[in-house]
Amino acid sequence: MKSELIEVLVPIPLMGKFSYLPPKNHISPLEVGSRVLVPFGRRTLVGVVWSFTKKDSSDKRKYRHIKELLDETPLLNTHSMNLAEWSSRYYHYPLGEIISYFFPPSIRKGKEAKFKESKYIELTSKGSFLSEEELSRAPNQKKLVALLKEKKEITLQSAKAFGIGTSVINGLIDKGYIKRFARELSPYKKFENNKLLATKKLNPEQIEAVNTIKKAQNKNITFLLDGITGSGKTEVYLQAIQEVVNQGKQALILIPEIGLAPQAEERFKEYFGDRVMSFHSAKNDREKVDAWLGASRGLVDIIIGTRSSVFLPMKDLGIIVVDEEHDLSFKQMDKFRYSARDMALYRAKLEKVPVVLASATPSLETLKNAQEDKYTVLKLSKRATGASLPTFQAVDLRGKELYEGLSKELLEATRSELLKGNQVLIFLNRRGYAPSMICKVCGWVSNCERCDALMTVHKNPLKLHCHHCEAQKLYPNKCPSCNSNDFLTYGFGTERIEEFLQNHFPDVTTLRIDSDSTRKKETLNEYFHEVRKGKPMILLGTQLLAKGHHFPDVTLVGIIDADSGLFSADFRGSERVAQLMTQVSGRAGRDKKPGRVILQSYCPDHPQIEEIITGSYNGFAKKLLEERKSSKIPPFTFQAKIFAESPKSLVSRDFILNLLNKTKIDEKIRANVRIVGPLPSIMEKKSGVYRWELSIFSKNRSNLHKYLDIMQSRLYDPKLSKQVRWSIDVDPLSSI
Ligand code: ADP
Ligand code: ZN
Ligand code: ZN
């Protein structure tokens, strides 16, 4: 007879699945999606049941038994399993590791998938036939039995409140009269109200958009909600979701940044009350497990979360929204290099639900798909509050006297807005005090020893800090090379501008908002509350400020350095700059007061600056798309990269050369890909390792995947090289 084998996904970085025999003494059948404990080498690992096969009589291998089944009912449904399988093939990453992303950490490690439990006691059947006289010599036991006859069950805690101690309970348990049991305490209540708690009257474009999305229920349609900053995109998807939720289905909202979660959650709660839950890395394990259980058991209607929420199992998904779909944070940049946006698109296809991609600055990938009618475009061309888009002014910095990087024009405009009682946002995408430090005597510079980069000077606390590898050093009192102490701190970071603005405008608050000033979990949200109080102040910060926030009293946005990023070595550089500038500018004049934007630039006639000044992201994006098309780069071809890193530059390079030269590729596949490299990465040395990469382009996705499949099987060859760490990146987004 053939015996049954169970294929189990195990969280290890190997592509295979592993087969086991069923647990000994196990009668009920195992199901796909349940967790099991399996022996693996000398370890015991938590795996997930993937499929069943039969053992062939010719198969002489010795299989081990599954040690234990952890879940009677599977934790992952078919949709989740299919999504995992697809992403493993698409991103060329081990399925066993991917499956870990579908669980919160403690459940991944094998903890019970349950809400917090309360312990109860109740009578056994023997206990319920007990006559009270039998306990006449134990008055407390008698009291408890009477209590349980009346109430059927009580919690251990309330037993204490009735004056009944542990020994009384244990005494009755020993006699077999009562027993303990546990029951989960769900933190969710079913929400009865079907109406939105507070809604705005929509304008005609918004109405059209809401209705179109509502009609797409149970259909896999992708919408591009393309609306200028402040056009009421959030309002649109909020109202579209209402219909979904009223039909008992769930909505998943992906947001790019954990900093946006409190604002989004607050806004959703205004409308949907307790049916909303958020999921992100600042939640503790209990909260994560609760949200996860709430989603998978269908107790929560709306989940708002960052990238990793795309893996949340949902009982009955009805719609997915990807807000700020262009944002780079949706892409994981190491290990499993998935794009949450693209996974959301595939997930929606699997579950036959609509997806809304919302952005004021859609990615070129998305715009191309929209142009090709793969997506349905919903346009919002006006600001929802009736405000107009801000006006733009470029300040030509050539030959100008500057005050710590700020022009007279920007300073005067700031003063005048503050005097009117408004708020000003000053944007500089560089944290720290100054990006470098130079010895004036011998020319020593603050290089990082582990990276091809300079260490940034930080003043508070005083130190040198590399923003690429996080290395930190004491601030040198003397030049390490010539012992002089005559230094120049070169360039500007947010700390330096903060210091200047505080001196220049001593009567108003300058709030610096960057990842240094907001390290603590709650600070960012506290800052935003402070801003919303509306007092005149200067908000100074990095891209943290650019994303999605609604600051009604900001009337002026000053961009200190509009040129940074214009001359990037990455072909995606100009797309990023245009998105960032448009988003930052979009923080101005969002409410009743009109806004303006001042851009400081040394090259105001650069086509990109001109384009931003006219305020047309879409016009600019169209031109970029044409350029990309004629140079045959993404999104007009598909790209993947193979990275190699090691402590020696040539070892990384040779690893890739070796891979290229020694891998036999079918001529048909080879003819349909274009290989560029190996080339050193833009920052070759980072964190002490040297990084080289190979780019593979193809007009056709399936060819790209076939090529990667072959490469991947070679990469797992243990003979290849142990000194090199490699990775595959499909649809790479950044070259740094
Ligand atoms: P976006 O998501 O496009 O940036 P929001 O949905 O956040 O825009 O809307 C910007 C502001 O306009 C918010 O304060 C929102 O409450 C308000 N708003 C949205 N739609 C309307 C409307 N139809 N009438 C009045 N105010 C609106
Ligand atoms: Zn020196
Ligand atoms: Zn470094």
Side-chain angles (χ1 to χ4, degrees):
M1 210 191 89
K2 289 179 176 179
S3 57
E4 189 178 38
L5 281 179
I6 297 150
E7 284 194 308
V8 175
L9 302 178
V10 182
I12 49 155
L14 287 176
M15 284 308 278
K17 297 172 190 107
F18 296 85
S19 296
Y20 290 88
L21 296 166
K24 288 178 188 156
N25 312 324
H26 198 80
I27 321 140
S28 59
L30 274 75
E31 285 182 70
V32 171
S34 293
R35 292 171 307 160
V36 284
L37 284 183
V38 291
F40 195 85
R42 276 191 234 154
R43 292 181 292 166
T44 298
L45 297 177
V46 179
V48 174
V49 176
W50 175 257
S51 65
F52 305 97
T53 53
K54 296 270 183 236
K55 187 177 169 205
D56 236 292
S57 48
S58 63
D59 184 353
K60 296 286 179 254
R61 269 172 297 177
K62 275 211 152 209
Y63 291 96
R64 296 164 83 180
H65 285 274
I66 288 175
K67 282 192 170 169
E68 193 185 334
L69 170 67
L70 295 178
D71 311 302
E72 292 294 339
T73 33
L75 291 189
L76 297 183
N77 62 19
T78 323
H79 288 317
S80 295
M81 301 301 267
N82 288 343
L83 184 65
E85 185 182 33
W86 173 81
S87 55
S88 172
R89 274 188 282 114
Y90 189 89
Y91 291 107
H92 298 266
Y93 199 75
L95 187 52
E97 299 229 313
I98 289 176
I99 217 78
S100 302
Y101 283 76
F102 286 74
F103 302 106
S106 64
I107 296 189
R108 188 183 309 158
K109 289 188 199 120
K111 205 180 136 195
E112 271 190 312
K114 277 186 176 169
F115 290 117
K116 209 171 147 211
E117 286 182 325
S118 219
K119 299 217 163 58
Y120 289 82
I121 42 176
E122 65 181 358
L123 291 171
T124 58
S125 51
K126 185 175 163 197
S128 57
F129 292 113
L130 184 71
S131 81
E132 285 175 24
E133 270 106 78
E134 281 180 55
L135 294 172
S136 53
R137 275 188 293 145
N140 276 333
Q141 291 192 353
K142 189 172 152 191
K143 181 170 152 196
L144 179 55
V145 169
L147 199 61
L148 285 174
K149 277 191 178 161
E150 181 198 333
K151 298 201 183 285
K152 289 220 157 52
E153 60 183 41
I154 56 172
T155 62
L156 285 180
Q157 253 175 341
S158 54
K160 282 207 187 88
F162 284 110
I164 292 161
T166 321
S167 59
V168 178
I169 294 173
N170 288 341
L172 282 172
I173 290 177
D174 289 346
K175 290 183 191 156
Y177 294 139
I178 67 170
K179 63 177 187 227
R180 280 200 197 92
F181 70 98
R183 184 183 292 139
E184 287 181 84
L185 296 171
S186 158
Y188 305 108
K189 295 177 223 63
K190 196 70 204 154
F191 195 77
E192 300 299 339
N193 189 354
N194 274 352
K195 292 224 171 65
L196 290 181
L197 300 179
T199 53
K200 300 216 160 53
K201 198 165 165 290
L202 301 181
N203 65 37
E205 282 180 334
Q206 285 178 310
I207 294 175
E208 169 76 20
V210 170
N211 289 341
T212 316
I213 301 171
K214 278 185 177 173
K215 274 190 227 133
Q217 280 216 54
N218 307 316
K219 295 196 196 98
N220 174 228
I221 299 178
T222 304
F223 295 100
L224 168 59
L225 182 55
D226 180 0
I228 59 169
T229 53
S231 57
K233 298 183 286 295
T234 313
E235 196 68 31
V236 164
Y237 66 71
L238 268 163
Q239 299 210 15
I241 283 171
Q242 182 201 14
E243 184 102 343
V244 174
V245 176
N246 282 353
Q247 298 201 358
K249 296 188 183 232
Q250 296 165 295
L252 175 63
I253 323 295
L254 300 181
I255 54 173
E257 184 78 43
I258 186 168
L260 289 166
Q263 181 191 324
E265 197 176 338
E266 217 169 278
R267 186 126 172 230
F268 268 84
K269 284 201 161 142
E270 259 175 50
Y271 280 24
F272 296 102
D274 290 340
R275 309 154 98 177
V276 183
M277 193 66 208
S278 67
F279 189 86
H280 50 71
S281 60
K283 299 262 169 192
N284 65 31
D285 190 65
R286 181 73 259 167
E287 292 168 323
K288 280 186 193 160
V289 171
D290 283 352
W292 190 90
L293 289 170
S296 67
R297 296 186 190 175
L299 303 170
V300 184
D301 295 335
I302 296 165
I303 294 264
I304 305 169
T306 45
R307 179 171 75 213
S308 62
S309 315
V310 78
F311 302 103
L312 279 177
M314 308 279 269
K315 184 155 182 243
D316 196 359
L317 184 65
I319 189 170
I320 308 181
V321 176
V322 184
D323 200 8
E324 312 288 356
E325 68 83 30
H326 63 278
D327 202 291
L328 275 188
S329 333
F330 286 123
K331 172 101 176 159
Q332 178 146 300
M333 302 285 192
D334 63 349
K335 295 191 184 117
F336 174 28
R337 297 171 181 250
Y338 68 96
S339 150
R341 177 197 62 204
D342 296 343
M343 294 214 26
L345 291 170
Y346 189 76
R347 180 166 182 179
K349 200 164 156 181
L350 279 175
E351 307 204 28
K352 290 202 182 56
V353 299
V355 194
V356 179
L357 304 178
S359 176
T361 53
S363 63
L364 296 188
E365 284 76 15
T366 295
L367 285 175
K368 172 175 173 275
N369 284 328
Q371 280 180 2
E372 291 170 355
D373 288 332
K374 289 184 188 146
Y375 299 166
T376 304
V377 181
L378 306 168
K379 273 254 176 217
L380 303 180
S381 58
K382 292 183 230 26
R383 280 196 153 170
T385 50
S388 46
L389 271 180
T391 53
F392 285 82
Q393 177 196 348
V395 173
D396 187 347
L397 296 184
R398 282 173 294 192
K400 275 233 159 78
E401 190 185 344
L402 296 178
Y403 309 86
E404 293 290 65
L406 299 164
S407 61
K408 216 161 110 198
E409 285 87 341
L410 181 53
L411 286 171
E412 275 167 12
T414 301
R415 183 178 303 283
S416 117
E417 290 307 317
L418 292 171
L419 281 175
K420 284 188 238 159
N422 296 327
Q423 296 176 337
V424 177
L425 189 158
I426 305 279
F427 175 75
L428 178 65
N429 209 10
R430 211 180 296 125
R431 65 199 167 86
Y433 186 79
S436 62
M437 175 173 181
I438 298 170
C439 168
K440 280 195 196 165
V441 178
C442 77
W444 171 89
V445 286
S446 56
N447 277 318
C448 174
E449 283 149 24
R450 308 176 68 224
C451 306
D452 294 331
L454 298 172
M455 294 185 90
T456 302
V457 180
H458 283 249
K459 261 206 166 167
N460 190 16
L462 188 65
K463 62 177 179 187
L464 294 178
H465 184 172
C466 172
H467 290 178
H468 302 281
C469 70
E470 304 301 332
Q472 306 203 11
K473 263 195 197 164
L474 293 176
Y475 183 89
N477 291 322
K478 280 190 216 145
C479 169
S481 163
C482 75
N483 274 336
S484 92
N485 59 0
D486 198 4
F487 290 116
L488 179 71
T489 43
Y490 190 74
F492 302 96
T494 45
E495 280 186 6
R496 187 167 192 166
I497 306 288
E498 177 190 30
E499 192 177 277
F500 171 74
L501 288 172
Q502 278 170 347
N503 287 330
H504 200 79
F505 299 104
D507 303 329
V508 296
T509 311
T510 297
L511 264 192
R512 171 166 64 90
I513 301 185
D514 56 27
S515 55
D516 294 317
S517 70
T518 58
R519 247 177 240 295
K520 275 191 255 125
K521 189 172 152 189
E522 292 299 333
T523 345
L524 190 58
N525 208 24
E526 281 160 18
Y527 279 165
F528 290 147
H529 272 288
E530 199 52 42
V531 177
R532 286 224 200 90
K533 285 186 191 156
K535 278 207 229 108
M537 65 164 74
I538 302 172
L539 281 154
L540 160 72
T542 57
Q543 46 147 1
L544 266 189
L545 282 180
K547 299 182 179 182
H549 297 289
H550 187 62
F551 302 127
D553 295 292
V554 169
T555 50
L556 170 66
V557 167
I559 298 176
I560 294 186
D561 180 9
D563 304 334
S564 70
L566 281 188
F567 307 103
S568 160
D570 181 356
F571 72 83
R572 290 187 174 82
S574 22
E575 177 186 356
R576 298 285 165 249
V577 177
Q579 286 164 345
L580 191 56
M581 295 295 157
T582 311
Q583 294 287 347
V584 179
S585 308
R587 300 313 112 202
R590 285 169 66 92
D591 218 13
K592 298 182 186 71
K593 307 173 210 166
R596 60 177 163 149
V597 180
I598 293 180
L599 287 109
Q600 301 195 139
S601 169
Y602 281 100
C603 42
D605 343 306
H606 189 287
Q608 184 150 5
I609 303 276
E610 285 186 334
E611 205 72 51
I612 294 165
I613 291 173
T614 59
S616 156
Y617 172 81
N618 278 5
F620 180 67
K622 221 179 213 161
K623 276 191 211 148
L624 274 183
L625 271 176
E626 275 155 29
E627 273 174 42
R628 299 254 192 111
K629 189 172 191 175
S630 60
S631 20
K632 298 197 177 63
I633 47 178
F636 294 92
T637 50
F638 302 108
Q639 186 188 9
K641 282 186 180 180
I642 296 176
F643 293 102
E645 53 181 53
S646 77
K648 290 205 183 95
S649 175
L650 294 185
V651 171
S652 304
R653 185 199 63 184
D654 293 346
F655 176 86
I656 296 182
L657 280 176
N658 215 349
L659 182 73
L660 274 179
N661 295 335
K662 300 217 172 127
T663 310
K664 247 184 76 107
I665 304 269
D666 185 286
E667 209 21 66
K668 264 201 240 128
I669 297 174
R670 181 65 191 82
N672 281 305
V673 293
R674 187 161 61 91
I675 306 291
V676 180
L679 291 170
S681 298
I682 292 180
M683 184 183 293
E684 185 192 351
K685 185 180 170 198
K686 190 178 168 190
S687 302
V689 291
Y690 291 83
R691 306 167 323 143
W692 283 69
E693 57 192 61
L694 185 74
S695 265
I696 307 123
F697 296 91
S698 177
K699 270 189 270 178
N700 164 312
R701 261 201 198 286
S702 81
N703 236 300
L704 184 67
H705 286 302
K706 279 184 202 151
Y707 183 86
L708 290 173
D709 279 337
I710 299 168
M711 285 300 184
Q712 192 182 11
S713 54
R714 285 272 297 137
L715 285 165
Y716 279 104
D717 181 348
K719 288 197 288 287
L720 203 55
S721 172
K722 293 212 168 48
Q723 290 171 49
V724 177
R725 226 173 52 190
W726 56 265
S727 54
I728 296 175
D729 192 351
V730 178
D731 306 328
L733 284 184
S734 149
S735 327
I736 314 294

